[in-house]
Amino acid sequence: MNARQLKVIAVVLGVAVLLFLPRLFRDSGEGGTLDVGDGFSFVVADSVAGVDIVLAEGAGVVRLERTDAGWTVDGYVADEPKIRDLLDVIGNLSSAELVARNPSNHTGLGVGEGGRRVEVRTGGGDVRGFHLGERDTRSGGYFVRLPGDDVVYRLDGPAGGYLNRERDGWRPRLIAAVDTAGVREILMRRGEREAVLRRGEDGWLAGDAPADSALVERLLAMLPSVSASGFPTEEEEAAADFTLADASFEVFSAGSADVTGRQLELSILLLEDEERGDWVARLADGTEAFRLSDLTVNRLLPEALVPVPE
C-alpha cells in the first residue's frame, strides 16, 4: 500500500470520526447512540380538528381550531394556506435521528415538562401530543420527545418551524386584493381633509383638475396587495374606537350596488398611533384590527392628493 493510498484512508477515517463525535457526545445516556429502537413516530389517522401549541414556561396556548367558517387561531381568522401546510405534515411525523436518552438532557434541549408541547385533537375526540424543543443549530431540525419516553430525536422537515410560530404568525397579512382595472373612484380622508379621485376618459381627476399621474399609479399599485405590518394586542384592539377614525380610505368600482352606479370594493378605517409611528386599522365591514405601516398609509393617502388646507 503506497503513501497516497494511506493518505486517502486517513482522510476518510478522519471525516468519519468528525461526523460521529457530535452524536456520541450529545447523548450522555449509556450505550451510545446507534440503537434507535422504533424511532420517533407521531401518526394521526383521523381528521385533525385542532392543534394546541402549549408555550414553554406557562406562557399560554396558541389554539388552532377548525370551525364551520374555517380555521381560527385563538379566535381570530387564520391564514388558510399556512394551515394547509401544517395539515399536510402534522399527521405523519417520524425520525430515527437519536440525540439523547438521558432525562437530564431534556431541559437543555427544550423537551422537558415545562417546554413547548404540541397537542393534536381529532374529529373523533382523541388527543395526541409530543414535546417540541429547541432548534438544532448544528444540524437543523428540532428536538422532539414523546410523552413518557426519555429518548430525544431530531425531527427534520418543516413541521418544527410551523409549530414554533406565535399567534400572529398564523394570522393572514393580506388585507385586501382589489382589481384596479375596475376602479372608478377613490375617496380619501385624513382628519378634516378630504379628496376624491375619479377615473375619467382622459385619465384620473382630483376634483376637477388632472391628478398627479405618478402618485395615482403608486396608489393603484398598492391595491392588489394591501398587507398588514402586524397586529395590535388584545388590549390595544379593545381600546381602538373606529367611530372616531383619524382617516379613511374607500375604493369604488362601476356597478349597480346603489343609485350612484358604483360598488364599494374596499373601505378602511384608520387610527394613528403616534407613539409607535404607525396606524391601527380595520375594514369597515370587518371585526378584526390590524396595523398598517406609516409608509403604506402615506402611499394610500398621499399628502399631495389630500393637501393641508391653506
Side-chain angles (χ1 to χ4, degrees), residues 155-223:
L155 178 67
D156 294 322
Y162 296 159
L163 295 167
N164 267 276
R165 291 188 180 122
E166 303 299 329
R167 181 189 71 189
D168 287 352
W170 289 102
R171 298 180 66 180
R173 293 296 181 106
L174 182 64
I175 303 306
V178 177
D179 180 4
T180 56
V183 174
R184 291 294 178 267
E185 188 174 72
I186 300 174
L187 305 185
M188 300 176 289
R189 180 180 67 82
R190 292 186 76 147
E192 301 299 320
R193 297 171 282 151
E194 296 183 347
V196 180
L197 291 178
R198 291 188 177 88
R199 191 196 295 263
E201 294 182 359
D202 298 322
W204 284 88
L205 300 174
D208 296 324
D212 185 316
S213 58
L215 289 177
V216 173
E217 288 301 319
R218 182 186 296 183
L219 187 161
L220 293 175
M222 300 283 294
L223 297 185

Side-chain angles (χ1 to χ4, degrees), residues 48 51 66 71 82-91 162:
V48 177
V51 179
R66 189 194 300 270
W71 281 82
K82 291 180 179 178
I83 294 293
R84 287 196 296 270
D85 288 342
L86 176 64
L87 295 179
D88 284 343
V89 297
I90 192 65
Y162 296 159

Side-chain angles (χ1 to χ4, degrees), residues 7 57 71 75 93 116 145-146 151 180-181 188 214 241 257 263-264 269 274 302 309:
K7 184 177 181 180
E57 306 300 333
W71 281 82
L93 302 175
R116 182 175 295 235
R145 180 175 69 87
L146 291 172
V151 184
T180 56
M188 300 176 289
D241 185 357
Q263 179 171 309
L264 182 64
L269 303 174
E274 296 182 354

Side-chain angles (χ1 to χ4, degrees), residues 15-17 26 29 78 99 101 105 109 123 129 172-173 178 224 242 298 301:
V15 171
V17 169
R26 189 155 53 189
V99 174
R101 289 184 293 182
N105 292 320
L109 297 174
R173 293 296 181 106
V178 177
F242 289 100
N298 285 335
L301 301 170

Side-chain angles (χ1 to χ4, degrees), residues 22 30 36-37 40 67 87 113 137 169 189 200 251 255 263 269 301:
E30 298 179 357
V36 299
F40 174 86
T67 71
L87 295 179
E113 293 304 318
T137 56
R189 180 180 67 82
V251 178
Q263 179 171 309
L269 303 174
L301 301 170

Side-chain angles (χ1 to χ4, degrees), residues 236-296:
E236 290 170 339
E237 185 169 0
D241 185 357
F242 289 100
T243 63
L244 302 174
D246 297 313
S248 61
F249 180 81
E250 294 180 311
V251 178
F252 295 87
S253 64
S256 57
D258 59 28
V259 295
T260 65
R262 62 184 187 174
Q263 179 171 309
L264 182 64
E265 298 290 345
L266 174 64
S267 180
I268 304 176
L269 303 174
L270 301 114
L271 291 166
E272 187 171 12
D273 189 338
E274 296 182 354
E275 183 174 339
R276 284 185 49 126
D278 65 358
W279 300 69
V280 177
R282 195 193 72 193
L283 297 180
D285 60 352
T287 58
E288 298 181 6
F290 50 90
R291 287 189 175 274
L292 290 179
S293 69
D294 199 45
L295 175 63
T296 295

